[in-house]
Structures are given as structure tokens and as C-alpha cells.
Amino acid sequence: LAVGLWGVRLLWRWRADDRLALAGLGYALFVAGLIGTALGSAFYHWAPDDASLIWDRLPIALLCAGLLAASFAEVNRSSSWLPSILLSLFGAASVMWWSYTGDLRPYVLLQVAPLVLIPIWQSLRAASRSERAMFGAAMGIYVCSRLAELFDIRLYTLLGTISGHTLKHLLAAATAALILQSVAHAIENKNKEALSPLSAW
């Protein structure tokens, strides 16, 4: 929730930037998904069952959709409106599909896609080395969060006070914070270069 609210502040601060003019809706969906995940996850943990789990997984699907839509818009230099709508529909459908069939594959695909596609898109649009490094670090932390969840009970037995599932939440929040920071850092650097007298050379 804290990272999501911080994301709202960042998007508002840089709302007039050219990058957000195209990819803004995708990033807004990403931030809204973070806030929704905090609320949906709290609801699920309050009364865990398959019905409440829908409200945990749905915003996660939407934030993945938003991140993909924003990155796709950046590499194609086009608006993120259509990708955001289409990917959001796919994300919602993947959760409903799981709810009715128990098949998580479409939902998992939406979570794995950013790890594969975004580094490729960053390379195609010649993103800065620092931006690519920050996103790579974010993906590394995300993988660690999935591993923490996988070894939930073992980590709790080892640490005694905190479970792997709890670590997953913290690491996932760190992943989102690093992604937002990479976007803000890229925008700040671009604006600094534009203001520098040497930029004309």
C-alpha cells in the first residue's frame, strides 16, 4: 500500500512528461493494482478461501497488465490505452478462468511475461544502462519473492518469527518500488540533460 501511494505521488509529479503522456495509463494501472493488491490481500488473509482469493489475484493480474502495457507503449512510441484495456481484460479473464477451472496457466503467463518481454523492449528502445540494471534487479528480487513463497514453511521453521509468505509480500513490495524508482530516475535524468547547457553539444 505504501509503495502504491508513493507511486501515485510519482506519477502526479511527472504527469506532464512525454514518457507518461504515452505510457501513463499503463503505469497508473500498475499503481492502482498495487493499492488494490494491498486491500485484496488483506481481505483474503482475513478470511482465506477461494472466493476471497479472487480479490487478491485480480489486482495482481491488473498491475502486471499495466506494467506490460506501459512498456509496450514506450517501445512502440504509442498510447498505452488500447494495450491497457486488452491486457486488463486478459488479466481479469485469467483470474476468472482459474476460479472456474482451477487452471492457473493464463494467470502465471501474465506474471512471467514482464520478466521476458520488458528486457527485450528496453533493449529495442535503447533504455539507459541504469534503467535496465534497476529493472533487472527488480526482477531478481521478484524471483526471490516467489522462492520465499515456495519455501514458506521451511523459512518459518528456520527463522522462527517470519514465514516465507510474509517475506514474499515484502520482497514483492520492494520489486514494485524499484520499478517505479527506475521510471522516476529515467525521467529525472532526461530532464536534467535537457536543462544542461552541454546537452546542445
Side-chain angles (χ1 to χ4, degrees), residues 131-199:
E131 185 179 355
R132 283 185 279 181
M134 291 177 75
F135 185 82
M139 293 302 96
I141 295 172
Y142 178 75
V143 170
C144 289
S145 77
R146 307 310 301 181
L147 291 173
E149 184 174 36
L150 183 64
F151 296 103
D152 180 24
I153 297 175
R154 291 185 184 181
L155 286 170
Y156 182 73
T157 302
L158 178 65
L159 300 174
T161 55
I162 187 169
S163 69
H165 188 83
T166 303
L167 285 173
K168 180 206 75 170
H169 281 283
L170 297 173
L171 291 170
T175 297
L178 199 52
I179 290 171
L180 289 171
Q181 181 59 38
S182 72
V183 176
H185 182 71
I187 293 174
E188 287 174 355
N189 282 348
K190 184 191 71 175
N191 290 339
K192 286 179 183 177
E193 289 175 2
L195 293 173
S196 171
L198 297 176
S199 63

